[in-house]
Amino acid sequence: MTGWLFGLAATASIAAAQGTKSDYDRALSLEAKFAEQVTHDRVEPHWVSPTRFWYAANLGAGRREYWLVDAESGAQQVAFDHAALAGALAEATDRDRDPQRMKIDRIAPEGVDRLALRIDETWWDWDGDQLSQRDGAPVADEVQPMERSANEPSGPGGKPSPRSPDGRWRVEKRLGALVLVDTASGESFVKMAAPLRDGSYDARVAWSPDSTRFVAWENVPGGGRTVQLIESSPADELQPKLHEHQYDKPGDNLPWRRPHLFAVGDADETPLDETLWQNPWSAGDLRWKPDSSAFTFVFNQRGHQVVRLLQADAASGAVQTLIEESSPTFVHYSGEGKCWLYRIDDTDEALWTSERDGWNHLYLVDLTTGAVKRQLTRGPWVVRRVDHVDAEKREVSFRAGGVHADQDPYYEHHCRVSLDDPSVVTLTDGDGSHEAQWSPDGRWLIATYSRVDLAPVTELRRAGDGGLVVELQRGDTAALEAAGWRAPQRFVAKGRDGKTDIYGVVCRPTNFDPAKKYPVVEEHYAGPHASHCPKRFATLHRSQQFADLGFIVVQLDGMGTDHRGKAFHDVCWKNLVDGGFPDRIAWLRALAEHEPAIDLTRVGIRGTSAGGQTAMAALLHHGDFYKAAVSNCGCHDNRTDKVWWNEQWMGWPVGPHYAEQSNVTQAGKLRGDLLLIVGEMDRNVPPTATLQVVDALIKADKDFEFHFVPGAGHGAGGTYTDRRTWDFFVRKLHDVEPRREE
């Protein structure tokens, strides 16, 4: 009995020791304590020749050291004697100089032991002993990096313009009509009469390269839904203001752009066969073939289950499909690296990213037939983003996730593939997520990778085979750790199916005591458009401050989010209410088996926007597990939110599943403690989405808390909202009054 009483007393004491004023003070101090505490964490190369560059190494506290690197040999050395240069510079300028705080923005080697340096907008010559001022800059002090854009070349017919390529014709708008003008004779021809409805025409048209035809866009109006917001407390006057903006919602009649084909002179319009582009969501990305025989454009059918690259014959108006991406669920047309198109005019080919085999991969398509010439990448990993297309070398540089099977599949790696020999060359292998900077001639890349628990490591690699030349810098966290920083923990556990790995991170208080029990708060966002758990290093993730109030804070990506393949992603289809919760709960239970300090009887969740919607849904549908939730500016009902986001995942037309998954409809199922937050001037998600939840909760006689922020936009952020969120979880999960003195 005594032992049992002692255990109770100890538990009460532990609870009372969390969420105090000192916890709040410590949490709020972390940003300043951790700032600028990591050294050797970045390299910004300045190339002075195709094989040589310099950079400034970060020594912390505004201090730096300059280095020269020879990419061919991998040799790197300190660029000069910093103390000697500082002394010479101080003597020359009659001003003291700190050897580690000289700000040098140009270094140009001239010979073996001579440098030209630009310091404080003045050029100097330095040979290691003598410093002398120069009359001007060296002939060439930097080589500009190679442009590595994956955008299409702006060839003939690539950009819209009112004037034809040969300069003879001009398209104008006159009293709403579209008129073609012969600039030589002044003669004009009405091509499109003023629209009967409230539509309009674009005078910037897509001209054929030979100036004989053009495509004009008709802007077809939709229903024109507007949302009104009342600003209760404007800064410039006493009386409230009414604001309104266009805001289409699922199921609305939507505007779109219809292409029209014309020849110059007085010829009539050439009708385009619309059979393959019925029920449009959008049409665009129009481009003429170099020989002016046809043009292509991308058509996205409403419902987002069909995306086509269509080709229209300039003479007949006949339209055929060159590329089609279709899915019984959804085509993620808006995702980075998804449905990506690059036309190669010289060979009449196109590059296209597709998930047709279950993973986002690159395909080479013959645009004369529409046939796939070859699949360039394949395997259980995804192309994340295309960085560069070298049409002459017939190579594509891209980023991939999951290409190293033994690493976190969300880590981005840089790769290259040939259009003619589709064997992927993986250029990076460090265990972390990568960013790359390329040399001016593309022969070298400077790759920097990091993890939440690893400061940035920067390497020089060969772009040909990805071979490591030399490690340039490795981030040093010694000072950061001395300031009390605790690295987030990476944790992997099986999801709902018992087979699929789910990846997340865990933040513990900086004063974590493994003998204590801690409630858990999940930082939640499950928007299907991407993945959201942090992967890269930061001195302060937002979860850390929150953890220092006495919580273990977690963040993870469950099924239904992107970057893990089509089957993983498809879980969200017409099923946003799922939110990945079966994976999240399984992951948390697995974590608790490894971490005895976790108390799964006290689990909270917070999220904003789509995360606000599912944070509340956690209490509606999983109230046996989650005990408290903060829902900030939640979407709550997919029928009242923006059309483009919701129809992408919930489908079109609007069906009964929209209502069935609404937090408004399901409000009566609320279990646990809920704080709703909304900003009065939210233009992203109408504030009425939250107010309708409030109304439904009142009608269901449910207790909840509500924080309304006048004048605030989406997220309703700020120190007051943060403090209210912190206080709520301290009260509900620690069961103490927050911010009291210990």
Side-chain angles (χ1 to χ4, degrees):
M1 179 68 70
T2 302
W4 179 74
L5 288 174
F6 177 80
L8 269 183
T11 301
S13 173
I14 289 170
Q18 294 170 332
T20 65
K21 182 178 182 300
S22 63
D23 292 326
Y24 277 73
D25 290 344
R26 184 178 60 257
L28 292 169
S29 72
L30 295 182
E31 184 173 5
K33 284 173 61 178
F34 295 164
E36 298 298 322
Q37 293 297 317
V38 180
T39 63
H40 304 284
D41 58 335
R42 52 186 177 267
V43 170
E44 181 182 348
H46 301 265
W47 291 87
V48 294
S49 79
T51 61
R52 301 183 72 195
F53 65 91
W54 64 270
Y55 68 91
N58 171 34
L59 304 183
R63 298 174 299 120
R64 60 188 69 85
E65 186 175 60
Y66 296 90
W67 287 74
L68 284 172
V69 182
D70 185 304
E72 290 278 13
S73 66
Q76 63 170 334
Q77 62 184 35
V78 176
F80 47 78
D81 184 326
H82 287 59
L85 176 61
L89 191 61
E91 184 176 345
T93 61
D94 195 26
R95 174 181 156 196
D96 287 341
R97 302 281 180 160
D98 185 326
Q100 294 184 335
R101 285 185 168 82
M102 294 182 293
K103 189 173 181 181
I104 301 173
D105 55 16
R106 287 286 194 277
I107 299 177
E110 294 190 326
V112 178
D113 297 314
R114 190 177 185 85
L115 297 174
L117 307 170
R118 193 172 78 172
I119 307 171
D120 298 334
E121 303 299 322
T122 300
W123 279 98
W124 302 84
D125 279 326
W126 172 248
D127 63 6
D129 294 311
Q130 299 295 320
L131 181 71
S132 58
Q133 189 170 336
R134 292 177 62 105
D135 292 334
V139 174
D141 62 292
E142 284 198 13
V143 183
Q144 293 304 309
M146 183 175 72
E147 178 63 40
R148 299 195 64 82
S149 170
N151 294 326
E152 292 192 61
S154 55
K159 292 183 177 179
S161 170
R163 187 175 292 275
S164 63
D166 64 5
R168 177 179 174 181
W169 303 95
R170 184 178 68 251
V171 175
E172 299 178 353
K173 286 175 67 174
R174 296 180 184 175
L175 299 177
L178 203 64
V179 177
L180 177 69
V181 179
D182 184 336
T183 59
S185 66
E187 189 175 8
S188 60
F189 308 91
V190 175
K191 289 296 185 180
M192 296 173 73
L196 297 176
R197 297 179 294 169
D198 294 330
S200 62
Y201 308 128
D202 290 348
R204 289 172 57 82
V205 300
W207 283 97
S208 62
D210 64 5
S211 300
T212 63
R213 291 181 173 87
F214 65 91
V215 178
W217 291 99
E218 174 192 2
N219 298 308
V220 182
R225 183 192 290 272
T226 58
V227 166
Q228 292 80 34
L229 301 175
I230 296 176
E231 186 180 9
S232 64
S233 310
D236 57 347
E237 62 180 67
L238 175 64
Q239 300 302 327
K241 289 182 179 179
L242 177 66
H243 302 261
E244 67 177 28
H245 59 280
Q246 172 114 15
Y247 193 96
D248 293 311
K249 299 184 180 184
D252 282 354
N253 180 25
L254 301 179
W256 72 289
R257 300 171 74 226
R258 174 187 285 119
H260 293 265
L261 174 61
F262 299 97
V264 298
D266 61 357
D268 294 333
E269 177 179 356
T270 302
L272 296 173
D273 182 358
E274 299 186 10
T275 304
L276 293 172
W277 39 293
Q278 295 294 309
N279 188 26
W281 169 266
S282 66
D285 195 10
L286 187 149
R287 187 174 180 82
W288 280 91
K289 296 189 73 170
D291 64 3
S292 300
S293 64
F295 64 89
T296 60
F297 64 98
V298 176
F299 165 71
N300 184 357
Q301 190 174 74
R302 190 163 189 184
H304 307 306
Q305 293 178 299
V306 176
V307 175
R308 296 186 178 111
L309 176 66
L310 299 175
Q311 179 169 285
D313 182 79
S316 67
V319 178
Q320 64 174 318
T321 299
L322 294 179
I323 302 175
E324 179 172 296
E325 191 74 11
S326 62
S327 171
T329 56
F330 59 84
V331 175
H332 188 191
Y333 76 97
S334 60
E336 185 178 47
K338 301 292 183 71
C339 291
W340 174 85
L341 170 68
Y342 187 100
R343 302 168 180 88
I344 307 174
D345 288 337
D346 290 345
T347 55
D348 214 10
E349 296 171 309
L351 292 165
W352 177 259
T353 54
S354 168
E355 293 187 285
R356 62 190 63 186
D357 74 349
W359 304 87
N360 195 49
H361 281 302
L362 271 165
Y363 293 78
L364 181 66
V365 180
D366 185 339
L367 289 185
T368 61
T369 64
V372 173
K373 295 180 73 170
R374 59 184 60 90
Q375 183 175 346
L376 299 178
T377 63
R378 64 176 68 244
W381 51 274
V382 298
V383 172
R384 289 284 297 267
R385 184 191 320 174
V386 177
D387 286 325
H388 181 64
V389 177
D390 190 324
E392 290 185 5
K393 291 183 178 179
R394 293 181 63 76
E395 292 179 345
V396 182
S397 300
F398 63 94
R399 304 181 199 193
V403 73
H404 291 294
D406 59 340
Q407 294 185 16
D408 184 324
Y410 296 96
Y411 291 162
E412 287 191 58
H413 284 272
H414 290 263
C415 305
R416 191 186 69 254
V417 67
S418 167
L419 306 189
D420 303 313
D421 176 21
S423 55
V424 173
V425 179
T426 305
L427 302 176
T428 57
D429 58 17
D431 188 8
S433 208
H434 287 70
E435 291 287 342
Q437 304 172 81
W438 299 81
S439 67
D441 60 5
R443 292 176 57 203
W444 318 95
L445 72 155
I446 294 171
T448 301
Y449 69 93
S450 72
R451 302 189 303 262
V452 293
D453 58 356
L454 177 71
V457 177
T458 304
E459 303 170 330
L460 175 65
R461 289 180 171 270
R462 294 187 298 271
D465 59 6
L468 177 65
V469 178
V470 65
E471 182 180 293
L472 298 171
Q473 294 280 291
R474 179 172 288 266
D476 187 341
T477 58
L480 183 65
E481 292 171 30
W485 180 79
R486 175 185 288 272
Q489 175 196 355
R490 297 176 292 148
F491 186 74
V492 184
K494 300 301 180 183
R496 69 186 75 187
D497 59 4
K499 298 182 295 183
T500 304
D501 285 334
I502 303 297
Y503 293 78
V505 297
V506 184
C507 282
R508 295 172 174 81
T510 55
N511 63 347
F512 176 72
D513 182 349
K516 291 184 177 182
K517 282 286 189 180
Y518 292 86
V520 181
V521 174
E522 182 185 342
E523 294 274 16
H524 176 79
Y525 192 83
H529 54 277
S531 55
H532 311 285
C533 181
K535 298 298 172 184
R536 290 183 168 88
F537 179 83
T539 55
L540 184 63
H541 291 281
R542 93 181 202 131
S543 298
Q544 187 59 60
Q545 286 181 304
F546 195 34
D548 265 55
L549 301 183
F551 301 103
I552 290 178
V553 183
V554 303
Q555 190 170 357
L556 59 144
D557 286 305
M559 293 185 187
T561 51
D562 199 9
H563 302 144
R564 292 288 298 279
K566 195 71 167 73
F568 191 99
H569 202 185
D570 275 349
V571 171
C572 74
W573 173 239
K574 295 187 177 182
N575 188 34
L576 287 180
V577 71
D578 178 273
F581 282 115
D583 309 303
R584 298 172 186 283
I585 293 169
W587 186 92
L588 278 165
R589 285 176 172 154
L591 177 65
E593 292 179 2
H594 289 78
E595 177 53 87
I598 284 180
D599 182 359
L600 285 188
T601 68
R602 297 181 289 161
V603 180
I605 184 170
R606 70 171 180 174
T608 297
S609 193
Q613 178 181 17
T614 39
M616 179 179 174
L619 298 185
L620 300 181
H621 306 290
H622 305 280
D624 57 336
F625 186 81
Y626 293 94
K627 306 305 181 186
V630 173
S631 170
N632 189 333
C633 296
C635 308
H636 294 304
D637 191 319
N638 300 104
R639 297 168 295 179
T640 65
D641 191 31
K642 64 193 79 66
V643 62
W644 63 268
W645 197 86
N646 292 274
E647 285 193 11
Q648 168 79 92
W649 317 115
M650 293 292 280
W652 180 91
V654 174
H657 62 290
Y658 273 79
E660 291 163 2
Q661 297 182 37
S662 165
N663 288 349
V664 178
T665 306
Q666 303 293 336
K669 296 181 178 179
L670 180 70
R671 287 182 288 172
D673 297 303
L674 173 66
L675 169 60
L676 294 167
I677 300 173
V678 71
E680 176 184 61
M681 297 301 294
D682 190 341
R683 294 173 64 90
N684 186 323
V685 177
T688 51
T690 298
L691 293 172
Q692 287 176 359
V693 167
V694 169
D695 178 62
L697 290 170
I698 291 172
K699 289 176 179 175
D701 196 26
K702 294 292 184 178
D703 293 331
F704 64 98
E705 296 184 26
F706 181 43
H707 174 45
F708 184 84
V709 189
H714 193 56
T719 55
Y720 183 78
T721 296
D722 289 344
R723 196 265 292 170
R724 286 290 303 274
T725 300
W726 291 6
D727 289 356
F728 175 82
F729 281 117
V730 168
R731 287 191 182 98
K732 302 305 179 182
L733 298 182
H734 286 316
D735 196 24
V736 299
E737 192 59 30
R739 294 175 288 116
R740 74 201 183 295
E741 298 289 344
E742 291 183 78

